Amino acid sequence: MLRSLIQKSPSSIFHLNFNLRSLRSRVMNTQSFSSTVSPPSKAIVYETHGQPDAVTKLVHIPGTEVKENDVCVKMLAAPINPSDVNRIQGIYPVRPEPPAVGGYEGVGEVYSVGSAVTSFSPGDWVIPSPPSFGTWQTYIVKNQNVWHKVNKGVPMEYAATITVNPLTALLMLEDCVTLNSGDAIVQNGATSMVGQCVIQLAKSRGIHNINIIRDRPGVNEVKERLKDLGADEVFTENELEVKNVKSLLGGIPEPALGFNCVGGNSASLVLKFLRHGGTMVTYGGMSKKPVTVSTSSFIFKDISLRGFWLQKWLGTDKAEESRRMIDRLLGLVQDGKLKYKMELTPFHDFNTALDKSLGKLGSQPKQVIKF
Amino acid sequence: MLRSLIQKSPSSIFHLNFNLRSLRSRVMNTQSFSSTVSPPSKAIVYETHGQPDAVTKLVHIPGTEVKENDVCVKMLAAPINPSDVNRIQGIYPVRPEPPAVGGYEGVGEVYSVGSAVTSFSPGDWVIPSPPSFGTWQTYIVKNQNVWHKVNKGVPMEYAATITVNPLTALLMLEDCVTLNSGDAIVQNGATSMVGQCVIQLAKSRGIHNINIIRDRPGVNEVKERLKDLGADEVFTENELEVKNVKSLLGGIPEPALGFNCVGGNSASLVLKFLRHGGTMVTYGGMSKKPVTVSTSSFIFKDISLRGFWLQKWLGTDKAEESRRMIDRLLGLVQDGKLKYKMELTPFHDFNTALDKSLGKLGSQPKQVIKF
């Protein structure tokens, strides 16, 4: 368990029963022909799938060769996303085989570059784009193609988190249904990071947005915060236990598009708001309950349902397009038009960040590890 | 109740408390300027919405004017479809206001034509196309635009039923997903009229079809009958209570398209068969249970769900296209490539046909009234 290991000396941690053979052999092989080796790295590793607080360990990894097309990056920050947790649990469809380093996105500073690398210089900020496995470590060496240089004018926690959630929000708003200024969308899970981004990105395009949140303590404060971001309407699920939810819309048109990251009753509420011919896109299932739809919604209301998965979209030869979109998103961050709640937690407090991400300490902002 | 009324004399039926004012005034107005009046008609009428066996009545309607562009049709046959029942119950979204004559499709023989009509002659077989309300009567007078002349080389019960169910099957196979020979589809409710048509239309295009039916007495006989029509595989719901339904597919590829007219567990079985990226089209809900879908089906399996409603499709300026498709379907009937189970019941036994359609007498073939 990380909790106890972290107390131990680096040398004892290094000799843990963790399969580092491949990493070690890499370093040994390189000594004959490489001039550059990365600094040793500290990494959050899991040897087997299981509950993240049971199977993750802090491990010291020796330096690795920086080949001619490689870039060695000193990581600055990386988030703990729900999909990271699911990869460790072994329930995410695309995942590395353990032993593996946790994490999928993040930002770092170029530490050194291979002899053939001309596009990056030490000090540049870079993100893996498309994201790739193993961002929860202090140094990463990967081919230059993996890295995308980003604007240093944004806080590191935004550069670290710009892909998985904000890009999902942007793509769902742009790729699923053609929306024009004056149209409306509806979403549940509106306080999630994607939810917060959807509100701001919709507002920037003049698209009305209707938001559904869980009933919770301090709900008025949450509503105010979302309205400050640009939410037109925010309803709790209980407030929508009315005969005709559309009577609550006032002057907002019936939404053509809905986003669901909750499932169960909350998804049904999204469907209730949709206009004839509307589409609901499911990108998460926080309640762990399925989506239930009446026959008449399909036949007489002509509702369509589909899903969105960033990893699939990124897998379809969209590397260049996604980098342009990320630059756009970071531009919005720099202009103060895109913000979301996060908490930077130092790497040595990884356990706390993980506990918060696992919901053990109640509702918490997105945890971002600062290396 | 029709049951008792049918015993009464025509004159007493004519004086029922049924709002015939508009029909009467039509006839009275015409007497001053019309030379042609249709024969009086016997019709199945409902004054209010309610259970069809409680609210329908046999009514005698006096002759009506045949104007210059009208065609007077002596009806030959008309089916009792579930949507006819739902219209009478008042639960179908598009329905005539009562008092109204029941029925929506059917075939008749031209009895007389208005002075400006040149495309139809007495003796022609015609169907209302797109279908229109009020086919459960012996004589109908409507503008020539309503009628579509059909091939007399098919049995009348096929001409009477070719639109609502076979056209739905054809459109769902052609409009939802691009299918090629060698692809596969899966459907539940395979013994329904649409289901029987789907099997034969898929087979004629070299598309494999996997069929799900209810567990019922005589299931082997039903399976044989569907296989005779061209079914590749027929499973009962119980037979699909296995871990991996796809292991039952043998050499058939995973289906790209599924049709659901049942809902509940039966719809979930259709979803289980679908391939990654597949689409399920819902066109009915016989179990009265909703469709339930897991979050991961949307996100990781990229499943899409939508509905199909013939009435909406017909409403989008597709009159000419639908007539060409109907001719194609009747051609298949004539060539022996499209058949389905029906029972012709004489008009004077309408009550029995209705009881069978309402499921009061167990599983019965589609009821078609013969006038």
Side-chain angles (χ1 to χ4, degrees):
Chain A
M1 296 263 305
L2 183 55
R3 225 156 294 267
S4 56
L5 296 171
I6 254 172
Q7 317 301 328
K8 299 186 183 175
S9 72
S11 64
S12 72
I13 293 172
F14 179 64
H15 292 101
L16 284 169
N17 178 24
F18 167 57
N19 182 354
L20 288 170
R21 270 170 301 176
S22 61
L23 291 165
R24 277 199 210 103
S25 68
R26 246 186 109 188
V27 173
M28 286 165 69
N29 290 340
T30 65
Q31 287 169 341
S32 52
F33 59 89
S34 166
S35 59
T36 319
V37 172
S38 73
S41 184
K42 283 182 281 183
I44 303 295
V45 165
Y46 52 104
E47 266 182 85
T48 57
H49 291 306
Q51 282 314 305
D53 51 357
V55 299
T56 54
K57 300 173 180 176
L58 178 69
V59 168
H60 287 231
I61 299 175
T64 183
E65 184 197 0
V66 182
K67 292 191 194 139
E68 59 178 354
N69 279 301
D70 283 349
V71 174
C72 172
V73 173
K74 180 182 189 305
M75 291 302 287
L76 299 171
I80 303 178
N81 283 315
S83 48
D84 297 323
V85 170
N86 294 153
R87 281 192 191 87
I88 297 170
Q89 291 166 330
I91 59 174
Y92 208 71
V94 177
R95 54 181 191 256
E97 268 311 293
V101 179
Y104 184 61
E105 66 173 340
V107 67
E109 187 177 81
V110 173
Y111 178 81
S112 67
V113 299
S115 56
V117 173
T118 56
S119 314
F120 298 97
S121 309
D124 286 348
W125 276 18
V126 292
I127 64 171
S129 179
S132 54
F133 304 125
T135 54
W136 295 350
Q137 55 185 322
T138 52
Y139 288 91
I140 302 179
V141 177
K142 282 192 176 168
N143 188 287
Q144 61 178 333
N145 296 337
V146 169
W147 302 105
H148 175 54
K149 199 192 297 188
V150 295
N151 186 342
K152 293 173 79 165
V154 301
M156 68 168 78
E157 61 271 30
Y158 279 93
T161 56
I162 202 67
T163 308
V164 169
N165 294 294
L167 185 57
T168 292
L170 184 60
L171 285 167
M172 290 200 306
L173 271 170
E174 301 204 340
D175 262 25
C176 299
V177 166
T178 304
L179 294 171
N180 298 309
S181 178
D183 287 343
I185 60 108
V186 55
Q187 66 170 345
N188 60 24
T191 58
S192 71
M193 219 163 109
V194 171
Q196 294 174 65
C197 292
V198 161
I199 291 170
Q200 295 165 86
L201 294 171
K203 186 186 165 72
S204 72
R205 289 177 52 195
I207 295 165
H208 299 285
N209 59 87
I210 303 151
N211 300 278
I212 305 170
I213 60 174
R214 276 179 297 117
D215 294 87
R216 63 183 90 195
V219 70
N220 288 332
E221 202 182 323
V222 174
K223 284 185 173 185
E224 278 316 304
R225 189 162 57 77
L226 295 182
K227 286 189 174 174
D228 284 346
L229 292 180
D232 288 288
E233 294 289 350
V234 186
F235 301 106
T236 66
E237 293 183 27
N238 275 348
E239 287 170 350
L240 297 174
E241 293 305 320
V242 296
K243 194 137 193 174
N244 179 10
V245 297
K246 291 183 180 177
S247 65
L248 304 169
L249 282 184
I252 300 176
E254 292 178 355
L257 179 62
F259 300 128
N260 164 46
C261 66
V262 182
N265 179 54
S266 184
S268 301
L269 292 171
V270 169
L271 289 172
K272 276 188 189 167
F273 272 113
L274 282 188
R275 79 172 182 208
H276 190 279
T279 298
M280 183 172 83
V281 178
T282 290
Y283 69 97
M286 288 195 282
S287 73
K288 302 197 191 300
K289 289 179 189 152
V291 172
T292 300
V293 195
S294 70
T295 299
S296 64
S297 296
F298 287 121
I299 302 180
F300 304 131
K301 204 177 159 188
D302 195 22
I303 294 297
S304 295
L305 281 81
R306 46 167 288 193
F308 182 83
W309 189 23
L310 182 67
Q311 194 148 342
K312 176 173 171 279
W313 186 88
L314 289 169
T316 51
D317 205 22
K318 296 283 174 61
E320 275 314 305
E321 190 178 342
S322 72
R323 289 178 177 192
R324 280 196 302 275
M325 294 180 109
I326 282 165
D327 292 344
R328 232 173 96 193
L329 288 164
L330 288 173
L332 291 172
V333 171
Q334 196 171 17
D335 295 347
K337 291 179 180 158
L338 185 64
K339 54 190 174 185
Y340 38 84
K341 266 190 116 171
M342 290 176 281
E343 183 179 27
L344 270 172
T345 302
F347 188 33
H348 62 78
D349 277 345
F350 178 80
N351 282 330
T352 310
L354 186 60
D355 285 349
K356 287 183 175 176
S357 298
L358 295 173
K360 289 177 166 187
L361 304 172
S363 185
Q364 296 283 339
K366 168 73 65 185
Q367 294 295 302
V368 181
I369 306 159
K370 184 175 181 305
F371 294 95
Chain B
M1 297 266 303
L2 182 55
R3 225 157 293 267
S4 56
L5 295 172
I6 254 173
Q7 318 301 329
K8 298 185 182 176
S9 72
S11 64
S12 70
I13 293 172
F14 180 63
H15 290 102
L16 284 168
N17 179 23
F18 166 59
N19 184 352
L20 289 170
R21 269 170 301 178
S22 61
L23 291 166
R24 280 198 208 103
S25 68
R26 245 186 109 189
V27 173
M28 287 164 69
N29 290 340
T30 63
Q31 288 168 340
S32 52
F33 59 88
S34 164
S35 58
T36 320
V37 172
S38 72
S41 185
K42 283 182 280 184
I44 302 295
V45 165
Y46 52 103
E47 265 182 88
T48 58
H49 291 307
Q51 282 314 306
D53 51 358
V55 298
T56 54
K57 298 173 181 176
L58 178 69
V59 169
H60 288 231
I61 299 175
T64 181
E65 184 198 0
V66 182
K67 293 191 194 138
E68 58 177 355
N69 280 300
D70 284 348
V71 175
C72 171
V73 173
K74 179 181 189 307
M75 290 302 287
L76 298 172
I80 303 178
N81 283 314
S83 49
D84 296 323
V85 170
N86 294 154
R87 283 191 190 88
I88 296 170
Q89 291 167 330
I91 60 175
Y92 208 71
V94 176
R95 54 180 191 255
E97 268 310 295
V101 178
Y104 184 59
E105 65 174 340
V107 67
E109 187 177 82
V110 173
Y111 178 83
S112 66
V113 299
S115 57
V117 173
T118 56
S119 314
F120 299 95
S121 310
D124 287 346
W125 276 17
V126 292
I127 63 171
S129 178
S132 56
F133 304 125
T135 54
W136 294 348
Q137 55 184 321
T138 52
Y139 288 91
I140 303 179
V141 176
K142 283 192 176 169
N143 188 287
Q144 59 178 333
N145 296 336
V146 169
W147 303 105
H148 175 55
K149 198 192 298 187
V150 295
N151 187 341
K152 291 173 81 165
V154 301
M156 69 167 77
E157 60 271 31
Y158 280 93
T161 56
I162 202 67
T163 308
V164 170
N165 294 293
L167 186 56
T168 292
L170 183 60
L171 286 167
M172 290 200 306
L173 270 171
E174 299 203 341
D175 261 25
C176 300
V177 165
T178 304
L179 293 170
N180 298 309
S181 178
D183 287 343
I185 61 109
V186 55
Q187 66 170 345
N188 60 25
T191 58
S192 72
M193 218 164 110
V194 171
Q196 295 174 64
C197 292
V198 162
I199 290 170
Q200 296 166 85
L201 295 171
K203 186 187 166 70
S204 73
R205 288 178 54 196
I207 295 165
H208 299 286
N209 59 87
I210 303 151
N211 300 278
I212 305 170
I213 60 174
R214 276 179 298 114
D215 295 86
R216 65 181 88 194
V219 70
N220 288 332
E221 201 183 325
V222 174
K223 283 186 176 187
E224 279 315 304
R225 190 163 56 77
L226 296 182
K227 286 189 176 175
D228 285 347
L229 292 180
D232 287 287
E233 295 287 351
V234 186
F235 302 107
T236 66
E237 293 184 28
N238 275 348
E239 286 169 350
L240 297 174
E241 292 306 320
V242 296
K243 195 138 193 173
N244 179 12
V245 296
K246 291 184 181 176
S247 65
L248 304 170
L249 282 184
I252 301 176
E254 293 177 356
L257 179 61
F259 301 128
N260 164 46
C261 66
V262 181
N265 177 57
S266 184
S268 301
L269 292 172
V270 169
L271 290 171
K272 277 188 189 168
F273 271 114
L274 282 188
R275 79 171 182 210
H276 189 280
T279 299
M280 183 172 82
V281 178
T282 290
Y283 70 96
M286 288 195 284
S287 73
K288 301 197 192 301
K289 289 179 189 152
V291 172
T292 301
V293 194
S294 71
T295 299
S296 64
S297 296
F298 287 121
I299 303 179
F300 304 131
K301 205 177 158 187
D302 196 22
I303 295 297
S304 296
L305 281 80
R306 45 168 288 193
F308 182 83
W309 189 23
L310 181 68
Q311 193 148 345
K312 176 173 171 280
W313 186 88
L314 289 169
T316 51
D317 205 22
K318 296 280 174 61
E320 275 314 305
E321 191 178 342
S322 72
R323 289 178 177 192
R324 279 195 302 275
M325 294 180 109
I326 282 165
D327 292 344
R328 232 172 97 194
L329 289 164
L330 289 173
L332 290 173
V333 171
Q334 196 170 17
D335 295 346
K337 291 179 181 159
L338 185 64
K339 53 190 175 187
Y340 37 83
K341 265 189 115 171
M342 291 176 282
E343 183 178 28
L344 270 172
T345 301
F347 188 34
H348 62 79
D349 276 345
F350 178 81
N351 283 329
T352 309
L354 185 60
D355 285 349
K356 287 183 174 176
S357 298
L358 294 173
K360 289 178 167 185
L361 303 172
S363 184
Q364 296 284 338
K366 168 74 65 186
Q367 294 296 302
V368 181
I369 306 158
K370 185 175 181 308
F371 295 96

